[in-house]
Amino acid sequence: MEFAIVQYTDTKSYLKSNLVQELSNNLQSLLKNKTYGTDIETFLIGFLAVKTKPGYEDWYKEKKPKYVDYKQSKNRITGETMEVVKNYGYDIKFDNELYDEFVNGTDEESKKLLAREILKSFIHLDKLPKKVKDFDKEKFKMDVENFFKEEGII
């Protein structure tokens, strides 16, 4: 399974982007050779760490969970055909208190906060679309939780 944490940061949270990328890479390595079924091949979590200013709340909204079974599009610049196959993703947003805690904490505290929020976000897996029939969400959750425990993050 392919896995990634895609980051959207501002100038303060950017200072923590290395630890988010490291966590993403480690999870990618863990999940790379695992199979949880045939219906989800790519799992993406968008990580929004942006301090929203009043009046700009609509600029950085959390995207709701989305599943794409198959989608083909053409790059307008290169003309290259791109395919998205069995992709599932959603966003986690750190704003206000969570943002302050993440940005102002030590790297270890920030990592623990992110891990905790990732595990909490797995509630989205309880509402997978009907198209997704073959995905072992419990095994997936358990593998990620065990990884966090082994790393001493939770």
Side-chain angles (χ1 to χ4, degrees):
M1 164 185 269
E2 294 293 320
F3 178 89
I5 299 173
V6 183
Q7 300 181 62
Y8 304 91
T9 58
D10 61 14
T11 52
K12 285 187 180 177
S13 63
Y14 179 77
L15 300 172
K16 300 280 185 170
S17 64
N18 285 343
L19 78 95
V20 177
Q21 190 59 51
E22 179 187 340
L23 187 64
S24 177
N25 292 344
N26 291 342
L27 281 169
Q28 168 64 21
S29 295
L30 169 81
L31 301 171
K32 183 111 180 121
N33 298 318
K34 295 194 182 243
T35 304
Y36 298 98
T38 58
D39 285 342
I40 296 178
E41 293 177 7
T42 305
F43 196 106
L44 302 172
I45 297 177
F47 175 61
L48 298 157
V50 178
K51 187 79 164 191
T52 308
K53 293 182 170 87
Y56 295 94
E57 293 86 3
D58 290 346
W59 285 27
Y60 294 99
K61 282 187 174 178
E62 274 183 86
K63 290 181 187 138
K64 293 183 178 164
K66 183 177 180 179
Y67 177 73
V68 177
D69 187 41
Y70 180 82
K71 181 180 177 182
Q72 186 177 34
S73 60
K74 212 173 234 193
N75 185 314
R76 289 187 287 177
I77 297 168
T78 64
E80 188 178 344
T81 301
M82 300 178 294
E83 293 182 333
V84 176
V85 180
K86 299 181 190 275
N87 181 308
Y88 182 73
Y90 55 85
D91 288 346
I92 298 173
K93 184 174 182 182
F94 281 21
D95 200 3
N96 303 321
E97 296 85 25
L98 269 181
Y99 175 89
D100 292 336
E101 195 178 331
F102 179 74
V103 170
N104 298 323
T106 66
D107 283 358
E108 198 58 38
E109 291 168 340
S110 298
K111 228 188 265 189
K112 286 181 180 185
L113 177 63
L114 180 57
R116 205 169 51 238
E117 292 301 312
I118 287 172
L119 291 175
K120 272 205 283 189
S121 77
F122 287 163
I123 195 162
H124 293 304
L125 295 173
D126 293 336
K127 300 176 206 142
L128 286 169
K130 291 179 183 171
K131 284 183 183 179
V132 180
K133 292 179 173 83
D134 185 20
F135 182 70
D136 190 347
K137 63 184 176 188
E138 295 307 319
K139 186 173 186 273
F140 174 77
K141 289 180 194 178
M142 191 62 66
D143 284 350
V144 173
E145 188 174 345
N146 287 338
F147 168 78
F148 287 153
K149 286 178 182 172
E150 287 170 14
E151 293 290 311
I153 300 172
I154 59 166

